[in-house]
Amino acid sequence: MVSGTHSEQIVDVALWVGVLALVLTFTIFIVILAMRLALFVRQARKKRFLDTWRPLLSNALVGLPVDVPRVGPRDRVSFLTLWNRYHGFLRGESGDTLNAIFRKTGLHEELFPVLESGNVGHRLVAIETVGNLEATEYWKSLKEIAVGDQPFTSIGAIRAMTKIHPHKGIKMLVSMIGRRLDWPRTSIELVLKEAGSEVATPYLIHQARRESPEALVRLLPFLRFAYKPAIIKTVRSILETVQESEVIASCLKLLDDPTALHLVREYQEHPSWPVRVQVASILGRIGGADDAFRLVGMLSDREWWVRYRAAQSLAAMPFISLEGLAKIKDMQEDPYARDILTQMIAEKSTS
Amino acid sequence: MTMMDVITVSEGVIFAYFIGINAGYLTLNFFSIFSITRYMRNRALDDITDSYSTFHPPISLLVPAYNEEATIVASIKSLLQLNYSEFEIVVINDGSKDSTLATLIEEFKLIKFPEAYRKQIKTNIVKAVYHSSIHPTLRVIDKANGGKADSLNAGINLSKYPLFCAVDADSILQRDSLKTIVKPFLEDPRTVACGGTVRIANGCEVRGGFLEKAGLPSNLLALFQIVEYLRAFLFGRMGWSALNGMLIISGAFGVFSKSVVLEAGGYRTDTMGEDMELVVRMHRKLRLEGRSYRIIFVPDPVCWTEAPENLTTLKNQRTRWQQGLSESLTMNRELFLHPKGGTISWLAFPFFVVFEFLGPLIEVLGYLLMISAFAFGLVSYKAMAAFMLVAIGLGILLSVSALLLEEMSFHIYTKSKYVFILFLASVAENFGYRQINSLWRMIGFFRWLKGGKGTWGEMKRKANWTRS
């Protein structure tokens, strides 16, 4: 038997839950309206800021005299963001003009607190600013940020450091690539590209010779930012010592020079198919007439991708005509190889 | 036990159910608030970091098409303009009875091509593969009719890239939608799938295949669906994603790791909910193998779709969805309370079983029981008022919470009057619309019980945007 009192209690609880829901609904709606109002205020403020600073920076860059107003604390990050954006577009003397304006604002002294801010976005803006200013006094702070856990601020700090002292910055970057798997690949590439091969080569080569196979897999793709002769020499010495197929495949990718062909050919029969795919791919790019025969042999490889890449490479070889490809196709007993070659012939004839 | 006792116990169960389901969703809402705040903070970083983080993995866009002659050209043209570094489009004409293929051949200058590819998933016969002579990244598969899942499998077989994105032919994507949805794959290599938010395009301004301005439709059904989608995506999926317990990625737009999908066996062709079933199966496989992985949801509005504006089409859609959900859960029942299943087995799966699978049944029975008991004087005014307050009041609270999340994040609807209209819609949809939805879902549940077969979800599209 279920008691009436118990039932009454359930109904009371339900009533209160319902009433609470309605009160909360109304409160949320008020919050939504307040948020919308705050959004309008923020948008108006941003518009006012841009209306003041955009023409001012543009006038200064074309040499017109400008009065630099004070940047209020609430506009500080907006100013840094805009200033960095201008820096991104401009080079040479214009960069110096921007730096001069920056110093006039007095914000130079106020970058430390922004660098230490809890807001990652604000920190990133400050880091970029320090790099653009080439402000050596922030070196120590940048170094601390560079070894921090946050991927964007740490790689951002390395980039800023590289702008201040290219050699020191690249040395630090290269020593960390193997273990900083959280850094976006393109961020690393950007820093290496900005520094140039002359700066990057010695550090990349030195690091590649001492890294573990796991770290090498991460580091090797960046070796293409080094000078070519140094790459081939280093890759050759790595290939002499490593067994890991992933490292071998990464090494082979870097050997797109005819002088390294003999090295590539050695891996034609490698047990790992990703290595054989690389071999097929490189032979197509830099191989000679002898290599065409090797590629024909690879058309009957046990792995589909090797056969596919070999057919693609054969079709890409400038000295193999459509008729030649057709003859190779007719010689194939394997239906998959014939299918792939049929596709390549069709592709070549429509290109 | 007397009649009154039965009524009292039922009353308790019904109250518990309605409070339970709403409390569950409010908890998800709570997680979503944190997730969305964090997400928006990181999103603000994107503007700063985008300049030196521009690597994007290549993606194959798979576009299954069945009788889409009215919209297919406009859809493909807008897909070709997506802002992404490397992608291909594979359209799969699934034996359309109209002139979908002929339209494609003419518009994109398609030529038959002897394509060699690995048939890793078994599909219905592929009659031909076409290459576009004016867009090198566009290919079309012409195959015998086999359903959406079969089409997607054929697309997977032909696709070149390690990630694929399933896109509905009638969807409108944001220009940078691929960049947005691929981010989780870059941020966490354990990511195997990622779903984006789908929003309602009715009432919006669309030009050149892209959404120009978000607006609200004059049709009440479409308006209610806007609130419904906000609720489903912004705190349903966002909340589950935060718990790594997301069981659904919308078939309209989702990116998957091809290798993991192939390992799982591709899309199942014997279900109406092939999109959900695949995600649940991926969870099952990866969880039971003890592998570390992530299935992520991004709240950015990446995809817009046309919502049904009449009751018949909407009913068909909802019954089909419920059938799909029921199939997805029962086909992967091994996951239910499995010791190795973690959050999925012990939280998400049971939640879906109780509130989504059985929910419509309990809800409809609850309403029927309470209303008839009240009519026969077996339930007091106070109890009836309490029931309505719980069932409707909490429903309104959930909908308004979704509006809050929208205001905290994307402000898609820029005009202030839209906020008022959406608030009114959040209230109004709880008086009739939600109840009728439960009824349709209950029908879907019974159709699943009877074992209805899956077919393409046909919908007469207005596709107004293709005209501008």
Side-chain angles (χ1 to χ4, degrees), chain B residues 35-342:
Chain B
S35 301
I36 220 156
T37 310
R38 196 174 52 232
Y39 183 83
M40 293 311 289
R41 215 170 34 227
N42 289 338
R43 198 170 177 263
L45 280 181
D46 292 347
D47 282 346
I48 306 163
T49 56
D50 209 33
S51 59
Y52 55 102
S53 179
T54 50
F55 169 72
H56 298 113
I59 295 184
S60 301
L61 289 178
L62 309 184
V63 191
Y66 177 70
N67 293 348
E68 299 277 359
E69 64 177 10
T71 55
I72 193 74
V73 171
S75 301
I76 303 303
K77 278 185 178 172
S78 71
L79 289 179
L80 284 164
Q81 294 174 61
L82 286 177
N83 180 13
Y84 197 74
S85 52
E86 193 178 354
F87 68 98
E88 61 165 353
I89 301 171
V90 179
V91 182
I92 308 104
N93 176 46
D94 190 42
S96 295
K97 289 174 192 148
D98 66 359
S99 59
T100 301
L101 182 66
T103 313
L104 285 168
I105 289 174
E106 195 190 325
E107 190 65 37
F108 298 106
K109 308 281 176 278
L110 299 182
I111 43 169
K112 256 190 196 172
F113 203 80
E115 185 93 32
Y117 62 95
R118 294 178 86 180
K119 295 163 186 79
Q120 300 188 82
I121 312 171
K122 209 172 160 236
T123 66
N124 263 5
I125 299 161
V126 171
K127 294 185 224 166
V129 175
Y130 294 84
H131 280 208
S132 165
S133 53
I134 48 173
H135 297 288
T137 55
L138 172 65
R139 289 181 293 166
V140 175
I141 301 175
D142 181 32
K143 64 181 280 292
N145 182 267
K148 188 178 173 184
D150 193 59
S151 303
L152 286 167
N153 286 338
I156 293 171
N157 281 340
L158 193 80
S159 64
K160 285 183 191 162
Y161 298 135
L163 296 179
F164 75 85
C165 176
V167 186
D168 275 356
D170 57 306
S171 293
I172 303 161
L173 301 190
Q174 295 284 104
R175 213 176 277 270
D176 56 356
S177 52
L178 290 178
K179 277 186 179 177
T180 308
I181 203 156
V182 91
K183 264 187 198 129
F185 290 91
L186 296 171
E187 286 164 4
D188 189 343
R190 293 173 303 160
T191 307
V192 296
C194 180
T197 303
V198 178
R199 298 262 185 134
I200 303 291
N202 305 46
C204 296
E205 271 180 43
V206 179
R207 194 158 293 132
F210 289 102
L211 188 115
E212 287 267 303
K213 209 169 172 186
L216 296 179
S218 51
N219 181 285
L220 215 54
L221 273 183
L223 186 67
F224 290 159
Q225 286 173 79
I226 289 181
V227 177
E228 205 179 15
Y229 272 53
L230 282 179
R231 221 171 37 223
F233 284 93
L234 280 186
F235 73 71
R237 295 190 195 173
M238 192 76 203
W240 284 120
S241 177
L243 299 166
N244 198 20
M246 202 169 69
L247 289 182
I248 307 177
I249 285 180
S250 168
F253 192 69
V255 174
F256 295 84
S257 155
K258 188 164 84 178
S259 59
V260 177
V261 171
L262 284 172
E263 274 182 57
Y267 286 92
R268 270 184 83 142
T269 53
D270 56 350
T271 167
M272 280 198 181
E274 70 288 328
D275 45 3
M276 180 178 178
E277 197 284 327
L278 175 67
V279 177
V280 182
R281 186 151 35 90
M282 282 167 75
H283 275 299
R284 176 159 64 102
K285 179 172 174 56
L286 297 168
R287 289 270 171 179
L288 302 195
E289 286 175 4
R291 285 156 70 175
S292 178
Y293 70 98
R294 302 278 296 161
I295 293 181
I296 304 277
F297 170 74
V298 290
D300 285 80
V302 285
C303 174
W304 298 75
T305 190
E306 189 185 352
E309 290 193 349
N310 64 71
L311 286 170
T312 316
T313 316
L314 188 63
K315 180 190 168 194
N316 288 341
Q317 186 192 59
R318 296 309 155 98
T319 48
R320 212 172 54 238
W321 284 1
Q322 187 65 26
Q323 267 181 276
L325 180 134
S326 308
E327 287 163 353
S328 304
L329 294 177
T330 48
M331 283 171 173
N332 296 285
R333 55 190 173 274
E334 191 188 355
L335 207 47
F336 186 65
L337 302 180
H338 193 286
K340 281 184 174 176

Side-chain angles (χ1 to χ4, degrees), chain B residues 388-417:
Chain B
M388 295 309 270
L389 266 175
V390 165
I392 292 170
L394 283 173
I396 295 172
L397 176 62
L398 282 178
S399 301
V400 177
S401 305
L403 286 188
L404 175 70
L405 286 173
E406 162 68 7
E407 197 57 33
M408 282 171 67
S409 50
F410 304 105
H411 317 106
I412 295 294
Y413 302 101
T414 46
K415 290 185 184 169
S416 295
K417 74 169 184 183

Side-chain angles (χ1 to χ4, degrees), chain A residues 1-4 6-8 10-22 24-26 28-29 31-33 35-37 39-40 42 81 85 119-122 124-125 128 150 152-153 155-156 159 184-188 190 303-305 308 336 339-344 346-348 350, chain B residues 1-2 5 8-9 11-12 15 19 29 41-42 45-49 51-56 111 113-120 131 139 159-160 187 258 380 382-387 389-390 392-394 396-398 400-401 403-404 407-409 411-416 419-420 423 427:
Chain A
M1 174 90 190
V2 181
S3 80
H6 190 60
S7 165
E8 279 296 304
I10 293 173
V11 169
D12 283 344
V13 169
L15 259 178
W16 281 111
V17 168
V19 170
L20 186 69
L22 291 182
L24 272 173
T25 300
F26 185 70
I28 290 174
F29 184 59
V31 171
I32 290 172
L33 292 182
M35 285 172 80
R36 184 52 67 117
L37 197 67
L39 177 73
F40 287 150
R42 275 201 311 277
T81 309
R85 201 157 283 166
N119 185 313
V120 179
H122 294 184
L124 260 175
V125 172
E128 199 181 345
Q150 217 294 329
F152 283 117
T153 51
I155 187 70
R159 188 184 178 202
R185 207 181 76 188
T186 43
S187 306
I188 301 171
L190 181 78
E303 170 61 36
W304 191 89
W305 280 112
Y308 187 78
Y336 293 109
D339 281 354
I340 296 168
L341 282 166
T342 307
Q343 179 186 336
M344 296 308 151
E347 271 179 17
K348 199 162 177 164
T350 53
Chain B
M1 208 181 219
T2 64
D5 287 343
T8 309
V9 170
E11 198 182 277
F15 279 131
I19 292 174
N29 187 28
R41 215 170 34 227
N42 289 338
L45 280 181
D46 292 347
D47 282 346
I48 306 163
T49 56
S51 59
Y52 55 102
S53 179
T54 50
F55 169 72
H56 298 113
I111 43 169
F113 203 80
E115 185 93 32
Y117 62 95
R118 294 178 86 180
K119 295 163 186 79
Q120 300 188 82
H131 280 208
R139 289 181 293 166
S159 64
K160 285 183 191 162
E187 286 164 4
K258 188 164 84 178
S380 67
K382 193 179 164 189
M384 191 62 194
F387 170 72
L389 266 175
V390 165
I392 292 170
L394 283 173
I396 295 172
L397 176 62
L398 282 178
V400 177
S401 305
L403 286 188
L404 175 70
E407 197 57 33
M408 282 171 67
S409 50
H411 317 106
I412 295 294
Y413 302 101
T414 46
K415 290 185 184 169
S416 295
V419 178
F420 282 99
F423 175 73
V427 176

Side-chain angles (χ1 to χ4, degrees), chain B residues 359-387:
Chain B
L361 195 68
I362 304 173
E363 250 179 80
V364 173
L365 287 179
Y367 275 109
L368 284 179
L369 192 85
M370 285 303 286
I371 291 168
S372 31
F374 179 67
F376 288 107
L378 298 169
V379 161
S380 67
Y381 277 105
K382 193 179 164 189
M384 191 62 194
F387 170 72

